[in-house]
């Protein structure tokens, strides 16, 4: 499975969650430029991805976020964070059931001012996915421009 395929799978699984109304890819701070954000938001960023010659998996690192808008009195902060933990955990469990091995993970709650005053939770996670081919591809020799 490629990085692109993994991201597409993550977004597809996230889109099935009832608490998710919008997905923001590759930068949670894009929320600052979306005045009409549809909360709850699932966002993701990439970390450092790894693989080894001996292994048959890629390890793709991500941070997944759940973000929702706070009420004026901020009385819904813990509810948002609780929903976020359950939502992100469900996404990770679903991915694991689909053959994407999910390593241990820890949730971190937060409050943050985007365009709106928000609360949420994020999780740093490494996803082990099978490499499409265990052998390097042998391409025909061709002339290329080298400078």
């Amino acid at each position: 499975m490629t990085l692109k395929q993994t991201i597409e799978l993550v977004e597809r699984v996230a889109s099935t969650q009832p608490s998710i109304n919008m997905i923001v890819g590759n930068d949670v701070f894009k929320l600052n430029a979306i005045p009409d954000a549809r909360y709850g938001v699932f966002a993701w960023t990439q970390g450092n991805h790894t693989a080894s010659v001996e292994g048959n998996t890629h390890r793709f690192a991500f941070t997944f976020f759940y973000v929702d808008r706070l009420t004026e009195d901020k009385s819904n902060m813990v509810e948002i964070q609780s929903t976020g933990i359950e939502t992100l955990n469900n996404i990770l469990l679903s991915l694991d059931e689909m053959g994407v091995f999910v390593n241990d993970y820890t949730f971190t709650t937060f409050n943050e001012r985007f365009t709106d005053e928000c609360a949420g939770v994020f999780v740093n996670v490494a996803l082990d996915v099978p490499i499409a081919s265990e052998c390097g591809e042998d391409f025909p020799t061709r002339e290329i421009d080298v400078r």
Side-chain angles (χ1 to χ4, degrees), residues 56-72:
N56 58 357
T57 61
H58 285 295
R59 177 166 284 176
F60 296 134
F62 292 96
T63 303
F64 295 156
F65 298 85
Y66 175 83
V67 182
D68 205 345
R69 185 178 328 165
L70 285 165
T71 56
E72 193 171 317

Side-chain angles (χ1 to χ4, degrees), residues 68-86:
D68 205 345
R69 185 178 328 165
L70 285 165
T71 56
E72 193 171 317
D73 66 357
K74 300 180 182 178
S75 62
N76 63 336
M77 180 182 64
V78 173
E79 181 181 346
I80 289 170
Q81 293 167 341
S82 179
T83 299
I85 288 171
E86 295 307 310

Side-chain angles (χ1 to χ4, degrees), residues 45-62:
T45 59
Q46 296 183 59
N48 295 317
H49 310 306
T50 60
S52 69
V53 174
E54 296 86 25
N56 58 357
T57 61
H58 285 295
R59 177 166 284 176
F60 296 134
F62 292 96

Side-chain angles (χ1 to χ4, degrees), residues 17 19-20 42 66 82-92:
Q17 303 303 306
S19 59
I20 302 291
F42 173 78
Y66 175 83
S82 179
T83 299
I85 288 171
E86 295 307 310
T87 299
L88 294 178
N89 194 59
N90 196 48
I91 290 168
L92 295 171

